Amino acid sequence: MALMVVKFDLKKRVKLAQTVWFMYWFAVLAGILVLSLGLFFKIELRKRSELMDNNESHFLPNLLILMGLIACGINAFGGKVCYDSLDPVKFAKWKPMLKYFLVFCVCFNGLLLMTSLLCFLMRIPLQFTLAEGIKNGMKFYKDTDTPGRCYMKRTLDLMQMEFRCCGNDNFRDWFEIQWVSNRYLDFSSKEVKDRIGSNVDGQYLMDGVPFSCCNPSSPRPCIQYQMTNNSAHYSYDHYTEELNVWKKGCRDALLSYYGGIMNTIGALVVLVTMLEVAVTVGLQYVNSSLSTLANPEEVESESEGYLLEKTVKETFTDIMAKMKAMGKGGKVEEGGEEAVATVS
Amino acid sequence: MVLLKMKFNQQRRVRLAQGLWLLSWLAVMCGAFIFCLGVYLKTELLRRDEVEKESFMDIHVVPNILMMVGLASIGTNWVATRVCQDSLDASRFPRWKVLLLAWFVVAALLCCLLLAVVVLSYVLQGRLEESLKVGLRNGIRFYKDTDVPGRCFQKETIDRLQMEFRCCGNNNFKDWFEVQWVSGRFLDYTAQEVKDRIRSNVDGRYLLDGVPFSCCNPASPRPCLQYHLTDNRAHFNYDYLSEDLNLYSRGCRQALTDYYMGLMNSTGPGVLSVILIQVGNFHLRYLQTAVEGAMALEDPEGDSEGYILEKGVKETFEEVKVKVLTMMKLAQVDPEGVPVDAEAEKAADTTAEKAASPTPAS
């Protein structure tokens, strides 16, 4: 007893084939969309790979690109099959491989759904990558004369200005590292000697931040140095001062930026999956309605289209039986000899 | 003597109609493109409204004209597509005949307006620079007034402008040395340094050789030096005369002018190509005359002639002049009906003469 049977006469079949053909062209566009989303995400990751220690995982964008390409391919093929389905001669050459094609489509749709799930989950490893990357980036802020790291200062400054953030968790991260290069420190001055002597590693630590942390919305000119010293600045209380520097940490800022991109991509991939499922169902109906024609030559006759030839349970047991048979195929030799021996 | 005569058979007429139909649709899209361009330019100009003085309205003429022309050209070219579609159907073409003269006039006007826009966008560059100079100077002067209503956002505006366009001050960073950009609320008037600086100039302003943080250049290898810029001893390993990466070296007036001129220049080629397409549409005249000629024949499918002007340029001009003068005279409440009748009689005489002259020969 077939699943979800629908009766089709010639007019309905033609209409179905045309609709599914039209939907396949939309699905090709959707495949191109997925491909371009994957490319966009890959480019965004590469743009800031310095801040992620150059070891960010490109698995997700590569997967999206691959899925986009496969989607374009199978949707174009499906569209061609639908186009030919109205002509019995042309359809006859596609008929044998259609069953395997439909099974492949179902598997592909499952993979697409998994990809969209991954998009939402990739946030978690990204968080750790970013934390490590920004911390190391800040350490190399002062190394503008070291080859390979000389652009870290500019990258960090531009990032803090663009994303309106300061430091890793907050601006105090800058207090814990030396971000002024030794080339610009007067080691004979008392202040420098005091600061270097004040910690174990002999680093020039100060309670100041780079200019890129400054918030333009502050009503007073930016206070970058001696931030914890209230008496160093007139009418200044560092506990209540809110608008002077950016309060957000750059890890959170970048995470919400990339998280937004990934959520959007995930949502779009879910929509594309739904479209793919719809066209697969449509193609199954086209296929089944044409194969149940009593007389293939008589195109005008009625036929039935179904989703599955038998019920879900029977189809499942069929598949299990086939798989068991294939598994036993290796053991057929021994069994056959024994059977022959017993018979004779 | 017709101007630029061409022969058209039925197939050529059909081809001409189809080609013009496609060209008209292309012109409709170009009209939409011109409209979007105008909208984009207008939003860009409005974004920087704060640093532009009010008399700046003049440069807004360019995007306004672009938007108007875009809409008008969408309308006229859509009419052209309908004309082309109906031109091969003898029953539907006559209703467009009345409109076509008006169409040609409007299309010519649009081309002239587009040309004017291109010229204007170059001519108005001077006005733009002038108003930017005034606007930026005010912005820098009111930088410290973050507690004065109406001026409290100048600081944020100027800071964001300097960071986005990578510029400092009006002409260069020294403009900040001449203005008090630190508000009096944050100055300790009992400190000796503050008192010295205030006494050092006539107006009693707190002037310093420093710039705001937004002038800092991220590409500099050393942490940004904002204060005591002219004092080499205030910073280790620093020479004010040879330091060029510390701050942005460009002035904001130059940066903004370059940006806007870049915008206008990039629209120039687009507008010129739209003018070319619009001019191509004037071939509609050929289609009109060819179809009219074909309809006048007994066999509508036969050959006909298409031309630009029925008579020579000079004769057409004379005819138009006469028509306009008669229209003006009819509109005037003229007590003397005689001159008009006399002219009509004269015209009748000349036509009678012309009719009379061939007869002796025949």
Side-chain angles (χ1 to χ4, degrees):
Chain A
M1 206 207 64
L3 187 68
M4 289 175 80
V5 177
V6 179
K7 282 215 172 297
F8 285 103
D9 59 349
L10 178 70
K11 222 168 69 160
K12 259 181 115 173
R13 270 204 301 274
V14 168
K15 205 138 195 234
L16 175 72
Q18 282 175 338
T19 315
V20 179
W21 177 79
F22 198 59
M23 277 168 73
Y24 261 117
W25 279 118
F26 264 121
V28 170
L29 288 175
I32 294 177
L33 176 73
V34 171
L35 175 71
S36 48
L37 282 174
L39 277 172
F40 167 70
F41 192 43
K42 197 171 173 80
I43 293 173
E44 281 292 312
L45 279 179
R46 279 206 78 75
K47 255 175 32 180
R48 302 184 202 284
S49 62
E50 283 174 318
L51 298 166
M52 298 194 239
D53 253 354
N54 284 331
N55 73 11
E56 76 274 12
S57 161
H58 279 260
F59 174 65
L60 183 60
N62 290 344
L63 184 65
L64 280 171
I65 291 173
L66 183 69
M67 297 301 243
L69 286 172
I70 297 180
C72 282
I74 63 174
N75 291 329
F77 179 70
K80 179 97 178 62
V81 169
C82 273
Y83 191 70
D84 288 345
S85 68
L86 298 168
D87 182 359
V89 174
K90 282 197 201 157
F91 188 66
K93 70 176 176 188
W94 295 124
K95 244 192 112 28
M97 58 174 99
L98 214 52
K99 188 160 171 224
Y100 300 107
F101 177 68
L102 280 165
V103 170
F104 180 69
C105 279
V106 170
C107 296
F108 176 71
N109 292 343
L111 276 175
L112 211 55
L113 196 65
M114 262 179 29
T115 308
S116 71
L117 214 69
L118 259 181
C119 285
F120 294 112
L121 292 177
M122 274 293 266
R123 232 186 131 100
I124 299 163
L126 194 65
Q127 196 164 1
F128 295 114
T129 317
L130 275 173
E132 269 304 302
I134 295 179
K135 200 163 72 179
N136 290 342
M138 283 167 62
K139 260 197 289 176
F140 303 143
Y141 185 86
K142 65 183 187 339
D143 296 333
T144 45
D145 52 350
T146 311
R149 295 185 200 156
C150 48
Y151 284 116
M152 191 48 94
K153 176 183 179 294
R154 194 177 74 168
T155 309
L156 269 178
D157 279 335
L158 288 173
M159 178 195 67
Q160 290 192 145
M161 290 201 289
E162 188 184 332
F163 287 93
R164 307 188 183 190
C165 61
C166 189
N168 209 341
D169 295 312
N170 54 43
F171 63 90
R172 285 170 215 277
D173 296 325
W174 289 107
F175 296 176
E176 295 157 20
I177 59 163
Q178 175 180 350
W179 53 272
V180 185
S181 174
N182 286 340
R183 294 175 282 155
Y184 309 115
L185 291 174
D186 182 7
F187 286 100
S188 56
S189 112
K190 185 171 182 319
E191 185 237 349
V192 175
K193 282 195 264 199
D194 280 345
R195 284 192 187 273
I196 287 183
S198 75
N199 66 88
V200 181
D201 310 306
Q203 287 194 310
Y204 180 79
L205 303 178
M206 49 196 273
D207 53 348
V209 292
F211 77 93
S212 42
C213 282
C214 288
N215 184 354
S217 314
S218 162
R220 85 184 286 171
C222 187
I223 294 172
Q224 289 175 248
Y225 299 105
Q226 298 177 296
M227 287 173 75
T228 50
N229 184 0
N230 282 354
S231 51
H233 314 279
Y234 184 69
S235 179
Y236 173 66
D237 181 6
H238 81 270
Y239 291 113
T240 55
E241 190 68 48
E242 298 243 308
L243 282 175
N244 189 34
V245 293
W246 299 118
K247 287 249 170 271
K248 204 158 62 153
C250 286
R251 192 194 49 217
D252 284 336
L254 276 175
L255 199 61
S256 59
Y257 173 70
Y258 279 118
I261 292 181
M262 288 197 289
N263 286 349
T264 316
I265 294 181
L268 283 171
V269 172
V270 165
L271 288 175
V272 169
T273 311
M274 295 201 300
L275 180 65
E276 289 283 334
V277 166
V279 290
T280 310
V281 163
L283 188 64
Q284 164 66 4
Y285 271 112
V286 166
N287 182 29
S288 55
S289 67
L290 281 173
S291 51
T292 53
L293 272 176
N295 185 1
E297 299 301 314
E298 212 168 293
V299 197
E300 308 273 326
S301 59
E302 284 205 350
S303 68
E304 283 180 354
Y306 47 76
L307 202 57
L308 287 174
E309 205 166 343
K310 310 183 180 107
T311 60
V312 184
K313 214 167 166 189
E314 285 175 26
T315 323
F316 192 57
T317 39
D318 268 352
I319 295 176
M320 293 299 288
K322 264 198 208 140
M323 280 174 47
K324 275 195 204 146
M326 276 206 284
K328 284 208 185 114
K331 297 187 201 159
V332 160
E333 291 290 327
E334 295 175 33
E337 280 181 18
E338 274 189 41
V340 168
T342 43
V343 164
S344 61
Chain B
M1 198 208 69
V2 291
L3 189 67
L4 293 175
K5 198 167 61 171
M6 277 177 71
K7 277 218 172 298
F8 285 100
N9 56 13
Q10 176 69 353
Q11 205 195 24
R12 271 185 96 181
R13 277 201 296 274
V14 169
R15 282 252 189 84
L16 182 65
Q18 284 173 337
L20 277 176
W21 183 82
L22 267 175
L23 196 65
S24 300
W25 270 117
L26 186 64
V28 168
M29 306 232 237
C30 289
F33 167 70
I34 294 273
F35 177 71
C36 294
L37 203 62
V39 168
Y40 173 66
L41 275 179
K42 194 148 178 97
T43 45
E44 279 293 310
L45 285 175
L46 284 175
R47 258 173 67 185
R48 310 274 164 222
D49 225 1
E50 291 107 19
V51 292
E52 292 151 8
K53 203 73 182 66
E54 274 101 45
S55 66
F56 196 45
M57 273 301 146
D58 301 291
I59 195 104
H60 279 264
V61 150
V62 172
N64 287 347
I65 293 185
L66 279 177
M67 289 199 284
M68 232 174 47
V69 167
L71 285 175
S73 114
I74 290 178
T76 46
N77 289 316
W78 183 81
V79 165
T81 59
R82 302 291 306 150
V83 169
C84 287
Q85 246 180 310
D86 287 347
S87 66
L88 298 170
D89 185 354
S91 57
R92 283 161 56 174
F93 187 67
R95 70 177 171 184
W96 293 114
K97 275 175 82 164
V98 183
L99 232 64
L100 272 172
L101 182 63
W103 188 92
F104 282 118
V105 170
V106 169
L109 189 67
L110 287 179
C111 282
C112 291
L113 276 177
L114 279 175
L115 272 172
V117 156
V118 174
V119 167
L120 267 178
S121 65
Y122 286 106
V123 161
L124 287 174
Q125 180 176 351
R127 302 291 301 261
L128 172 67
E129 266 201 62
E130 196 50 44
S131 83
L132 274 175
K133 188 161 93 172
V134 175
L136 280 171
R137 199 172 58 210
N138 285 348
I140 292 175
R141 254 193 296 159
F142 304 143
Y143 185 86
K144 65 182 188 335
D145 295 333
T146 45
D147 51 348
V148 175
R151 297 187 199 158
C152 47
F153 282 114
Q154 286 288 11
K155 178 183 180 293
E156 190 175 345
T157 309
I158 296 284
D159 278 336
R160 287 200 197 282
L161 188 79
Q162 292 191 144
M163 289 200 287
E164 190 181 328
F165 284 91
R166 306 188 189 198
C167 58
C168 188
N170 210 337
N171 300 317
N172 54 41
F173 64 89
K174 296 200 204 169
D175 295 324
W176 289 105
F177 296 178
E178 297 155 19
V179 165
Q180 176 180 351
W181 54 271
V182 184
S183 174
R185 294 175 284 153
F186 309 118
L187 291 174
D188 181 8
Y189 287 102
T190 57
Q192 186 58 38
E193 184 238 349
V194 177
K195 282 197 263 201
D196 281 343
R197 284 193 188 273
I198 286 182
R199 265 189 249 130
S200 73
N201 66 89
V202 180
D203 310 305
R205 287 179 294 164
Y206 180 79
L207 303 177
L208 61 158
D209 52 349
V211 293
F213 77 93
S214 42
C215 281
C216 287
N217 187 354
S220 162
R222 85 183 284 169
C224 186
L225 300 169
Q226 287 178 251
Y227 300 105
H228 304 291
L229 284 171
T230 49
D231 186 359
N232 283 354
R233 292 166 305 148
H235 315 280
F236 184 67
N237 196 9
Y238 172 66
D239 182 6
Y240 152 67
L241 293 165
S242 61
E243 187 72 46
D244 56 353
L245 275 178
N246 187 35
L247 305 171
Y248 293 124
S249 48
R250 206 164 55 152
C252 285
R253 182 161 50 103
Q254 190 55 45
L256 277 172
T257 311
D258 287 345
Y259 171 69
Y260 281 124
M261 279 304 121
L263 269 183
M264 304 279 190
N265 288 348
S266 58
T267 64
V271 170
L272 281 174
S273 46
V274 168
I275 293 177
L276 281 175
I277 293 180
Q278 190 72 34
V279 164
N281 242 3
F282 275 103
H283 285 90
L284 200 62
R285 174 73 178 156
Y286 270 120
L287 184 64
Q288 175 200 11
T289 45
V291 168
E292 276 173 3
M295 290 201 308
L297 296 173
E298 295 105 37
D299 172 25
E301 307 257 325
D303 290 357
S304 70
E305 280 179 1
Y307 46 77
I308 301 260
L309 289 172
E310 200 171 348
K311 307 183 180 112
V313 182
K314 212 167 169 189
E315 291 172 18
T316 323
F317 188 58
E318 296 289 316
E319 253 185 49
V320 170
K321 211 165 72 172
V322 166
K323 264 197 211 144
V324 169
L325 286 172
T326 28
M327 272 206 292
M328 276 168 48
K329 284 226 176 75
L330 286 171
Q332 263 179 345
V333 179
D334 204 5
E336 300 170 71
V338 177
V340 180
D341 287 334
E343 279 216 36
E345 273 184 25
K346 255 196 244 164
D349 283 336
T350 40
T351 41
E353 275 179 43
K354 279 199 190 140
S357 42
T359 34
S362 60

